[in-house]
Amino acid sequence: MSAADTIKVYHSAERYEKNPATREPRWVKYTILSMALGFFGLFLLLPLFAVFTEALRKGFSVYVAAITHPDTLSAIRLTLLASFIALPLNIVFGVAAAWCISKFNFRGKQLLITLIDLPFSVSPVVAGLMYVLVFGIHGWFGSWLADHGIKVIFAVPSIILATTFVTFPFVARELIPLMEAQGTDAEEAAISLGATGWQTFWHVTLPNIKWGLLYGAILCNARAMGEFGAVSVVSGHLRGQTTTLPLHVEILYNEYQFAAAFAVASLLALLALVTLALKLYAERHLS
Amino acid sequence: MSITVKNIYKRFSNFNALNDVSLEFPTGKLVALLGPSGCGKTTLLRIIAGLEQADRGEIWLEGVNASKLHVRERQIGFMFQHYALFQHMNVFDNIAFGLRMKPRHQRSSESVIVKRVNELLELVQLANLAQRYPAQLSGGQRQRIALARALAINPRVLLLDEPFGALDAQVRKDLRRWLRQLHDELHITSIFVTHDQEEALEVADQIVLMHKGQVEQMGSPLEVFTQPATPFAYNFLGTVNRFEGTWQQGHLHSAGDGVHLPHQTLPAGIAEGDSVIAFARPHEVRVVPSCEQLAPHGIKAKIARILAFGPTARIELVRTHEHSSQPEYYEANIPTHEIQQLQLYEGQAVKVQPTRLQVFAA
């Protein structure tokens, strides 16, 4: 939606509200409003509030101690590592896939689009299990990997693999409709003016998709840092070694360390808030 | 530079876009590819540019076979229907794009590029808009920027896809004249695609009339307009009256009416008794009151409307005959003063007498 459209919608909403001929009765208005706000408070605001109060229930020092605990720091490091590897990979894959799908016609295009959606349609637990079946001790490549002393499952590589898999569609999904809507005119113009394929991508295509790309990357990153299911299956839950932040929250919670669990959870909640802010920023530029 | 198109075929899944098209575009001329939508004109233009690949056939540029040459090596200026300006670049950067994308060893220094872009901005008379973005320009301004951008790379040929298609009527007229003037200054071989006959007749040196993936006729605007080679060409260019019937003893016989033309010779390839289609332009038609002794022959019709505004009046007529399932309409242009002389009025029974007929085998 363009800025002009936004203004139009705003104005029409305001106009309906001010015009007695289109205004709903007061009781209807307040009933609907309070339902919406009630839902918002109960299901979104309250849990968020609960995370922070529970985290700080036993005092600030406990909160700080939980966050600075070596296991927590290790989980933060692993989470950052996984997303820092998964994100660039998926940006490259996503842009390449979207470029292919939106700018060219080829056989099996529909199949490729369906495959891109696979990580969304399959349960994350199944995704994790697939990696165990392929790389696990009893999996296809398990014995070969063991012979060469490479550990994938229950180690960092599998966490990165699972994270990359689960977050694959975000960038591509965001870019395909955008690039399809933009068509190929600008690219054709660039080529007819003598630009090479790379120059065309760098100077023409990329500037046109940059906000969509940022938007996709933000969502991809949020999911990469928050992924639980797939990572849980392949991680092995080795404390301080193969636990990411969400896994670490679960471990602490299962050990009845509620304050610590909520303290670590509050980090993820903060991350969510930052993501939302960035997303808003990107959306504003996207329109 | 000359462009030669040899036996081009192009098929899109189940539709023949181009069917054995061969053309020779003269150097330095402005040629219009004219035809109804879906006739293959844009496809042909894109094949010449290299943006589309022909299934068969060759494109020769300056006597060199360019069929396998990459778009970026053809050095062809292409102006897109919706201009395809780079939205994130200002006008200056748009025009400079082609110059800045050249390989390093061919690229001019930035100061030379700046000079060249300013020259082009002068040429399209938009020097004051260099820092604007495409979204801030009017349709006509965008078109001129797109043209300047295409000209920046010193193209050997300029190809324009529906250059006036996205503009409103008034701007269209001005830009037509401007493009013609610009072409007279630059003398660059140019081809433009249009579905608007008036545009083609007014702007082009040569018109290529296309229909269903084939060339119907090529010639100067005057030739194409006054001597249409085929029934399609007649129908497509200008208003025309169409008569169907058989050819008998130098007469056109059409459902009980006869048209006698004293000087009409038997057209080549038509034998006595053949079914024919004949055409006459509105100014090649006389309208005579039915009762008049002078009108022993002609097509019986009724005056539906008289539009006598200028020196030439337009008369709209409906054919009157018993066994017609579909009404047939005619149009005649006659000097306004003749309306009074002949005492024509709306609703009158008259005879339509073509003074000249172009006859084709049906």
Side-chain angles (χ1 to χ4, degrees):
Chain A
M1 188 188 282
S2 75
D5 286 338
T6 315
I7 291 167
K8 224 180 290 167
V9 169
Y10 170 76
H11 276 302
S12 75
E14 196 186 58
R15 199 171 62 232
Y16 282 135
E17 185 49 36
K18 287 212 167 128
N19 182 354
T22 52
R23 190 164 46 203
E24 293 297 333
R26 215 163 261 276
W27 68 269
V28 172
K29 204 163 79 185
Y30 286 126
T31 311
I32 293 174
L33 262 180
S34 53
M35 271 166 65
L37 287 176
F39 186 87
F40 173 72
L42 198 63
F43 286 88
L44 296 170
L45 220 50
L46 194 64
L48 191 65
F49 182 69
V51 168
F52 287 100
T53 43
E54 286 300 317
L56 293 166
R57 182 185 286 273
K58 293 203 175 146
F60 194 67
S61 57
V62 176
Y63 180 85
V64 173
I67 286 176
T68 53
H69 189 275
D71 287 353
T72 311
L73 292 176
S74 146
I76 291 173
R77 267 196 299 277
L78 184 59
T79 300
L80 289 177
L81 177 74
S83 69
F84 279 4
I85 293 176
L87 187 61
L89 281 178
N90 281 335
I91 286 177
V92 173
F93 291 157
V95 171
W99 166 274
C100 257
I101 285 168
S102 56
K103 309 282 175 182
F104 299 96
N105 270 320
F106 53 91
R107 256 165 198 252
K109 185 165 156 171
Q110 210 51 48
L111 185 72
L112 184 61
I113 295 174
T114 315
L115 278 178
I116 287 173
D117 272 346
L118 185 70
F120 275 177
S121 51
V122 79
S123 156
V125 176
V126 176
L129 210 56
M130 292 186 321
Y131 282 105
V132 173
L133 291 175
V134 175
F135 298 112
I137 305 272
H138 304 292
W140 293 351
F141 306 122
S143 49
W144 186 87
L145 288 168
D147 290 346
H148 291 78
I150 304 167
K151 205 162 158 49
V152 177
I153 297 300
F154 303 147
V156 175
S158 67
I159 290 173
I160 293 167
L161 277 175
T163 307
T164 309
F165 177 84
V166 169
T167 57
F168 178 73
F170 284 99
V171 173
R173 272 280 123 192
E174 187 59 36
L175 291 184
I176 290 168
L178 182 68
M179 287 168 86
E180 275 182 341
Q182 286 172 350
T184 53
D185 271 12
E187 280 79 10
E188 285 182 345
I191 292 170
S192 79
L193 291 167
T196 61
W198 176 248
Q199 284 174 323
T200 303
F201 174 74
W202 194 250
H203 294 285
V204 175
T205 308
L206 196 60
N208 280 333
I209 60 165
K210 63 181 175 194
W211 293 110
L213 183 60
L214 179 63
Y215 187 86
I218 290 164
L219 292 180
C220 181
N221 185 55
R223 179 67 190 267
M225 291 191 173
E227 174 54 25
F228 179 82
V231 169
S232 172
V233 175
V234 296
S235 110
H237 300 265
L238 302 175
R239 263 183 110 140
Q241 287 177 45
T242 63
T243 51
T244 59
L245 275 178
L247 296 183
H248 194 55
V249 172
E250 194 210 17
I251 289 172
L252 290 173
Y253 190 82
N254 286 345
E255 290 172 351
Y256 304 103
Q257 302 186 41
F258 295 129
F262 278 106
V264 176
S266 74
L267 288 179
L268 285 170
L270 275 174
L271 175 78
L273 292 175
V274 172
T275 303
L276 278 177
L278 281 173
K279 196 168 140 273
L280 260 174
Y281 177 73
E283 265 172 356
R284 197 158 297 168
H285 280 86
L286 193 60
S287 57
Chain B
M1 189 195 73
S2 68
I3 307 169
T4 309
V5 171
K6 291 182 183 171
N7 308 97
I8 293 283
Y9 289 83
K10 178 70 185 178
R11 197 180 162 82
F12 291 114
S13 58
N14 53 358
F15 163 71
N16 274 328
L18 293 171
N19 205 348
D20 194 11
V21 171
S22 296
L23 284 167
E24 188 110 18
F25 294 94
T27 306
K29 294 278 194 255
L30 180 56
V31 181
L33 286 180
L34 175 66
S37 56
C39 73
K41 53 195 192 298
T42 294
T43 307
L44 180 59
L45 197 75
R46 289 173 61 87
I47 287 175
I48 295 172
L51 294 170
E52 208 89 60
Q53 181 72 43
D55 298 336
R56 258 196 288 160
E58 292 172 353
I59 303 290
W60 288 64
L61 300 173
E62 251 168 356
V64 176
N65 188 347
S67 313
K68 298 275 188 293
L69 208 60
H70 193 278
V71 187
R72 85 174 76 88
E73 279 141 22
R74 291 195 190 192
Q75 216 190 334
I76 281 177
F78 197 97
M79 200 178 93
F80 291 81
Q81 188 177 1
H82 299 287
Y83 316 132
L85 292 175
F86 306 129
Q87 299 296 327
H88 61 284
M89 294 182 200
N90 64 24
V91 164
F92 187 95
D93 293 337
N94 261 284
I95 298 174
F97 185 84
L99 301 170
R100 287 177 176 158
M101 291 303 122
K102 285 190 176 169
R104 198 170 293 267
H105 61 277
Q106 289 176 21
R107 203 183 305 157
S108 319
S109 69
E110 190 62 21
S111 62
V112 175
I113 292 177
V114 169
K115 192 161 160 281
R116 174 88 179 117
V117 172
N118 284 330
E119 275 169 22
L120 286 160
L121 279 166
E122 289 293 332
L123 182 73
V124 299
Q125 299 156 9
L126 291 173
N128 53 335
L129 299 181
Q131 299 308 316
R132 295 271 188 93
Y133 283 85
Q136 301 166 310
L137 303 177
S138 72
Q141 290 169 337
R142 272 179 223 172
Q143 192 216 33
R144 289 199 247 168
I145 297 305
L147 194 60
R149 186 180 68 174
L151 288 172
I153 57 164
N154 282 321
R156 305 190 288 174
V157 184
L158 195 58
L159 305 178
L160 312 151
D161 186 8
E162 297 268 4
F164 312 103
L167 301 171
D168 51 56
Q170 191 51 48
V171 184
R172 218 175 236 246
K173 267 214 140 109
D174 293 346
L175 277 170
R176 257 191 237 170
R177 207 167 299 139
W178 176 79
L179 183 72
R180 182 64 238 183
Q181 279 169 6
L182 190 75
H183 182 265
D184 290 340
E185 274 174 49
L186 300 173
H187 285 299
I188 177 171
T189 309
S190 311
I191 305 176
F192 76 99
V193 157
T194 180
H195 60 264
D196 184 337
Q197 36 136 331
E198 200 186 316
E199 205 166 277
L201 291 168
E202 196 178 304
V203 179
D205 297 314
Q206 291 271 310
I207 292 178
V208 175
L209 187 60
M210 294 186 65
H211 179 47
K212 289 187 177 164
Q214 283 177 316
V215 175
E216 288 275 326
Q217 189 174 2
M218 179 164 179
S220 71
L222 192 67
E223 271 166 24
V224 175
F225 189 78
T226 54
Q227 295 153 30
T230 63
F232 170 80
Y234 237 115
N235 262 328
F236 192 76
L237 285 167
T239 315
V240 76
N241 296 304
R242 178 190 160 101
F243 308 95
E244 284 179 44
T246 54
W247 193 258
Q248 282 163 15
Q249 294 164 348
H251 290 51
L252 173 72
H253 286 269
S254 176
D257 295 324
V259 176
H260 176 65
L261 290 166
H263 304 298
Q264 186 88 37
T265 50
L266 189 68
I270 292 169
E272 187 68 19
D274 277 0
S275 300
V276 294
I277 302 169
F279 296 96
R281 299 270 183 216
H283 68 270
E284 297 168 336
V285 162
R286 291 207 304 153
V287 177
V288 189
S290 249
C291 56
E292 207 174 317
Q293 290 298 309
L294 286 166
H297 73 96
I299 307 275
K300 287 196 275 299
K302 196 176 80 176
I303 295 180
R305 212 160 143 67
I306 297 175
L307 299 153
F309 299 128
T312 306
R314 195 168 95 210
I315 303 179
E316 291 174 8
L317 304 122
V318 192
R319 185 167 187 184
T320 46
H321 66 79
E322 303 79 50
H323 33 259
S324 169
S325 52
Q326 230 168 292
E328 288 176 57
Y329 297 97
Y330 302 121
E331 201 177 304
N333 289 347
I334 62 171
T336 304
H337 62 85
E338 272 187 28
I339 293 193
Q340 273 109 39
Q341 278 173 15
L342 294 164
Q343 294 178 321
L344 299 177
Y345 54 90
E346 289 180 4
Q348 189 182 18
V350 292
K351 280 191 171 174
V352 175
Q353 294 180 340
T355 54
R356 178 174 172 265
L357 273 182
Q358 190 85 26
V359 185
F360 297 94

